[in-house]
């Protein structure tokens, strides 16, 4: 004899929805340039700050709330060797329910090589059972890179079984994965690097 009633309250806010592109050729962002994902964007309105990130499933789109008054939107968290155009965009909202679409263009202002590599254990290591890892790597620099990811392990305690993709070189205690044409902001994953633990 119980009933559940739901009440929905719609609060009408202003919306700021835009995209960020990377100008790889330094000739101004155009239709051929790629959208950037996982880039932080913020909107500052007085004492309120709203933060969002661009999303891969929405083609590099971000979504921010805009309060009435002056809203200053900017891209944050990029290294100093990238320039964002425009640096900020300002919007004044006087009535709720307004939508605006500010886009930004990112370009490199110097040549920097910078690869970030993260080793991700997928399970706890248990003696006698397989151990699994993922290797995630990303180009945080401003140049397209070719190189190698090297994984060294203690071959007296574990032996390599498989991975996807397979290593280009396997020695007694080292796996080498070659990569090429890793563009700025691009990331890749080496899946299920599997070892048998003694």
């Amino acid at each position: 004899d119980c009933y559940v009633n739901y009440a929905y309250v719609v609060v009408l806010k202003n919306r700021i929805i835009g995209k960020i592109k990377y100008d790889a050729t330094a000739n101004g962002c155009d239709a051929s340039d790629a959208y950037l994902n996982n880039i932080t964007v913020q909107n500052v309105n007085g004492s309120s700050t709203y933060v969002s990130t661009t999303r891969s499933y929405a083609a590099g789109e971000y979504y921010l709330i805009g309060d009435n008054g002056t809203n200053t939107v900017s891209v944050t968290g990029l290294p100093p060797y990238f320039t964002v155009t425009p640096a900020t965009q300002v919007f004044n909202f006087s009535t709720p329910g307004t939508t605006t679409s500010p886009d930004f263009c990112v370009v490199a202002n110097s040549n920097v090589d910078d690869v970030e590599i993260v080793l991700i254990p997928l399970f706890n290591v248990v003696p006698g059972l397989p151990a699994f890892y993922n290797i995630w790597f990303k180009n945080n620099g401003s140049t397209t890179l070719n190189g190698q990811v090297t994984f060294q392990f203690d071959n007296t305690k574990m032996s390599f079984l498989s991975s996807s993709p397979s290593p280009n070189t396997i020695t007694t205690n080292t796996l080498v994965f070659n990569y090429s044409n890793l563009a700025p902001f691009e990331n890749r994953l080496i899946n299920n690097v599997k070892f048998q633990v003694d």
Side-chain angles (χ1 to χ4, degrees):
D1 293 337
C2 294
Y3 295 93
V4 177
N5 292 317
Y6 295 96
Y8 296 95
V9 178
V10 177
V11 178
L12 199 55
K13 288 279 194 176
N14 300 302
R15 298 188 304 164
I16 302 169
I17 303 171
K19 296 185 178 187
I20 302 173
K21 282 192 165 190
Y22 178 63
D23 181 15
T25 55
N27 63 351
C29 284
D30 54 38
S32 65
D33 291 318
Y35 292 109
L36 295 179
N37 300 313
N38 300 315
I39 304 298
T40 304
V41 185
Q42 73 175 11
N43 173 28
V44 178
N45 181 310
S47 62
S48 298
T49 300
Y50 301 100
V51 178
S52 179
T53 57
T54 55
R55 304 161 298 180
S56 58
Y57 62 86
E61 188 175 76
Y62 66 88
Y63 173 86
L64 289 165
I65 292 173
D67 290 329
N68 285 345
T70 303
N71 296 266
T72 304
V73 181
S74 60
V75 176
T76 62
L78 290 180
Y81 43 86
F82 290 107
T83 302
V84 180
T85 306
T88 61
Q89 296 194 50
V90 179
F91 303 95
N92 289 299
F93 297 124
S94 57
T95 57
T98 303
T99 299
T100 187
S101 300
D103 292 338
F104 292 92
C105 182
V106 176
V107 66
N109 56 40
S110 59
N111 292 330
V112 175
D113 298 339
D114 183 8
V115 175
E116 174 185 5
I117 302 172
V118 179
L119 178 66
I120 306 164
L122 300 181
F123 304 102
N124 289 330
V125 176
V126 178
L129 295 178
F132 292 88
Y133 299 90
N134 280 348
I135 303 171
W136 177 89
F137 59 105
K138 178 185 177 190
N139 185 349
N140 289 330
S142 60
T143 59
T144 299
L145 298 173
N146 304 311
Q148 298 176 331
V149 173
T150 302
F151 184 113
Q152 292 182 328
F153 59 95
D154 186 346
N155 63 304
T156 65
K157 295 185 172 84
M158 56 197 326
S159 56
F160 174 71
L161 297 175
S162 63
S163 68
S164 177
S166 296
N168 297 94
T169 306
I170 303 172
T171 61
T172 306
N173 66 344
T174 304
L175 308 175
V176 177
F177 301 89
N178 297 333
Y179 64 86
S180 60
N181 298 318
L182 186 66
F185 300 100
E186 181 183 358
N187 65 75
R188 296 182 189 170
L189 188 66
I190 301 167
N191 286 301
N192 295 319
V193 182
K194 183 179 179 182
F195 294 90
Q196 178 62 48
V197 182
D198 288 348

